[in-house]
Amino acid sequence: MAKAPVLTPQAEDFPRWYQDLINKAELADNGPVRGTMVIRPYGYGLWERMQQEMDARIKQAGARNAYFPLFIPQSYLTREAEHVEGFAPELAIVTRAGGKELEEPVVVRPTSETIINEYFSKWVQSHRDLPLLINQWANVVRWEMRPRVFLRTTEFLWQEGHTAHATYEEARDYAAHIHRDVYADFMVNVLAIDVVLGRKTPAERFAGAVNTLTLEGMMRDGKALQLGTSHELGTNFARAFHTSYLSREGRQELVWQTSWGSSTRMVGGLIMAHGDDHGLRVPPRLAPVQAVVLAVKEGDAVLAAVRSIGERLRAAGIRAEVDDRTDVPFGRRAVDWELKGVPLRIEVGPRDLENGTAMLARRIPGGKEPVAIEALAALLPAVLEEDQAALLRESRSRRESATSEVASVEEAVEAAAGGWARIAWSALGPAGEARLAEHGVSVRCLVAEDGSVPDSDDAPGTVALVARAY
């Protein structure tokens, strides 16, 4: 009788495969309140690595980390009409605390534009105070009707950047800088996901923004996942909160602002972009554990060897872990590490030691081969880089092969059944966008014909990227 697979095959039921993998790889559990999640240590380790890589890029862009309260007076949100209207269905509102009714209800943070602007208006007085570049690592709450772990949860973790600038041009350029040099750089060069950079349509913009830049990644089932956004807020929030400054010319001017964010949704993107029927495949530059050294059988010599190899790999700058749990069957341990997507397994048994070799198993391309133990520390950095590049090539190839050029709404809907479609925005327009929505298909972003980000919604040659999305 054939042995049942550890995971539901992707081709059989992709959503079930996704949930199976989260459970079997010990990434997360459902929380006690509907729509919440408990992130387990290995899943949180992935998020920590994302934080580290992103935080370094954010700081390189000049922003500094701060923290603002979780509770926001409800009156703050009502000051910017479009903003409160956009978030109203998702708000969690506290009306009673300390055993009594609150004089003013407070909102559990859905995003921080309003509360941060309250303080920006205090901190910004002169052109000398600009630009003001702030980032926050925090949790937010948006009451989710159709929750899915990592992808859509009532509470999730993220970073949100908020900036104030003296001119429109400075704000526009900074939003684009974050979009390109922080988010895209991280997602392409660390997550190994070949994202498309584009501009949201007016119907898809962030509530209160004048422009939203997005990064869209194709998952292995052909759907799109929005992995991050960067918004130009214009002077909308500055006007609502009276955030102004004295210019060099002695005039009171409103600041121009941006906000931008990415979240634990990226963990879901990592799973669905790279995972296969055997589990996760974690890009080496991201992986909390790049190589695990496994003792195949117990024995003093084997245990001493795996520990020594682990020390040498760590000394070579490789994030290595030793698995010397010989009281657990080797096959079970190997499957567990495969599920977790660790890029490299170095397996050492008595026979390997006799030959002075270890068996190197590569998770991303697959396959095993014996490698001299003495050569491992020098060899593995190049192997990890090869496998990082292979994942990105695979991601790019999938997107290119599953993207169709179409000329009508009907063709776009058909193409979106298993991939993406590109259609001239001038031929589609808002009316066509509304027709797509009737079929559960959306315009993910607008791009220029050459793949760059258009300067405006109606720039000549603009193409709409159309897909079903998470």
Side-chain angles (χ1 to χ4, degrees), residues 216-231:
E216 304 286 332
M218 181 181 282
M219 303 298 100
R220 287 170 71 91
D221 62 349
K223 289 185 179 179
L225 184 69
Q226 178 182 291
L227 288 160
T229 49
S230 183
H231 315 289

Side-chain angles (χ1 to χ4, degrees), residues 12 31 119 205 226 247 307 317-318 346 386 394 415 421 424 444 459:
E12 182 179 312
Y119 287 87
R205 278 182 196 144
Q226 178 182 291
S247 71
R307 291 164 186 164
I318 296 168
I346 297 105
E386 285 177 15
E394 186 179 309
R444 303 313 304 153

Side-chain angles (χ1 to χ4, degrees), residues 12 69 94 116 245 254 264 273 280 305 341 365 423 447 449 470:
E12 182 179 312
V94 180
I116 287 178
Y245 70 98
L254 292 173
T264 38
L280 277 173
I423 182 171
V447 297
E449 284 182 316
Y470 284 96

Side-chain angles (χ1 to χ4, degrees), residues 366-410:
K368 290 185 177 184
E369 62 177 327
V371 175
I373 289 174
E374 294 301 321
L376 284 169
L379 175 68
L380 295 193
V383 171
L384 290 167
E385 283 300 297
E386 285 177 15
D387 292 353
Q388 176 81 27
L391 275 183
L392 181 58
R393 284 197 304 272
E394 186 179 309
S395 175
R396 180 172 295 125
S397 175
R398 180 185 307 112
R399 178 183 63 79
E400 291 176 347
S401 63
T403 300
S404 305
E405 301 289 338
V406 301
S408 69
V409 168
E410 292 73 23

Side-chain angles (χ1 to χ4, degrees), residues 30-312:
N30 290 315
V33 175
R34 185 179 182 275
T36 62
M37 63 177 169
V38 175
I39 306 176
R40 300 185 67 175
Y42 190 72
Y44 199 82
L46 293 170
W47 175 240
E48 282 183 314
R49 286 284 306 135
M50 292 179 182
Q51 281 185 301
Q52 291 164 13
E53 291 282 350
M54 290 280 288
D55 197 58
R57 287 165 172 78
I58 289 168
K59 286 173 178 170
Q60 192 170 13
R64 294 183 296 171
N65 288 335
Y67 186 79
F68 293 82
L70 176 68
F71 296 120
I72 302 172
Q74 189 174 23
S75 60
Y76 283 18
L77 271 78
T78 62
R79 294 191 204 175
E80 213 290 326
E82 186 179 348
H83 189 67
V84 69
E85 182 181 353
F87 277 99
E90 302 175 323
L91 297 181
I93 303 173
V94 180
T95 60
R96 186 175 179 83
K100 61 181 181 180
E101 294 294 318
L102 297 177
E103 291 184 10
E104 178 184 353
V106 297
V107 173
V108 183
R109 174 174 55 217
T111 181
S112 298
E113 278 76 11
T114 58
I115 192 167
I116 287 178
N117 263 278
E118 175 72 10
Y119 287 87
F120 274 15
S121 68
K122 296 179 181 181
W123 299 344
V124 176
Q125 301 297 324
S126 160
H127 64 87
R128 298 180 185 87
D129 300 321
L130 298 172
L132 181 55
L133 313 175
I134 295 292
N135 179 62
Q136 173 174 239
W137 291 97
N139 61 337
V140 293
V141 171
R142 298 178 184 176
W143 214 257
E144 182 57 55
M145 295 297 104
R146 295 182 299 277
R148 197 166 182 191
V149 174
F150 290 121
L151 300 178
R152 292 187 179 275
T153 49
T154 295
E155 180 191 11
F156 54 91
L157 306 181
W158 77 345
Q159 60 73 213
E160 51 176 319
H162 300 268
T163 71
H165 304 262
T167 67
Y168 159 74
E169 290 79 12
E170 287 179 16
R172 177 201 61 196
D173 292 348
Y174 195 80
H177 176 57
I178 293 292
H179 186 226
R180 180 186 61 248
D181 298 320
V182 174
Y183 290 163
D185 180 72
F186 167 71
M187 291 166 192
V188 171
N189 294 314
V190 179
L191 285 187
I193 298 177
D194 183 53
V195 291
V196 171
L197 284 70
R199 179 187 184 98
K200 284 291 189 184
T201 65
E204 292 286 331
R205 278 182 196 144
F206 176 74
V210 298
N211 182 32
T212 291
L213 303 173
T214 183
L215 301 101
E216 304 286 332
M218 181 181 282
M219 303 298 100
R220 287 170 71 91
D221 62 349
K223 289 185 179 179
L225 184 69
Q226 178 182 291
L227 288 160
T229 49
S230 183
H231 315 289
E232 297 173 38
L233 302 180
T235 58
N236 289 345
F237 289 91
R239 186 173 294 106
F241 286 83
H242 309 293
T243 311
S244 63
Y245 70 98
L246 188 66
S247 71
R248 283 185 170 85
E249 293 73 30
R251 295 191 301 269
Q252 283 292 325
E253 304 278 0
L254 292 173
V255 299
W256 296 80
Q257 293 182 270
T258 77
S259 69
W260 25 279
S262 60
S263 74
T264 38
R265 171 179 279 207
M266 291 191 295
V267 179
L270 169 73
I271 296 167
M272 296 193 298
H274 297 316
D276 62 19
D277 285 347
H278 301 288
L280 277 173
R281 293 189 301 164
V282 182
R285 292 181 187 172
L286 177 75
V289 181
Q290 294 175 312
V292 59
V293 190
L294 288 90
V296 175
K297 292 182 178 180
E298 63 181 336
D300 291 343
V302 169
L303 294 177
V306 297
R307 291 164 186 164
S308 173
I309 292 170
E311 289 175 2
R312 279 188 265 173

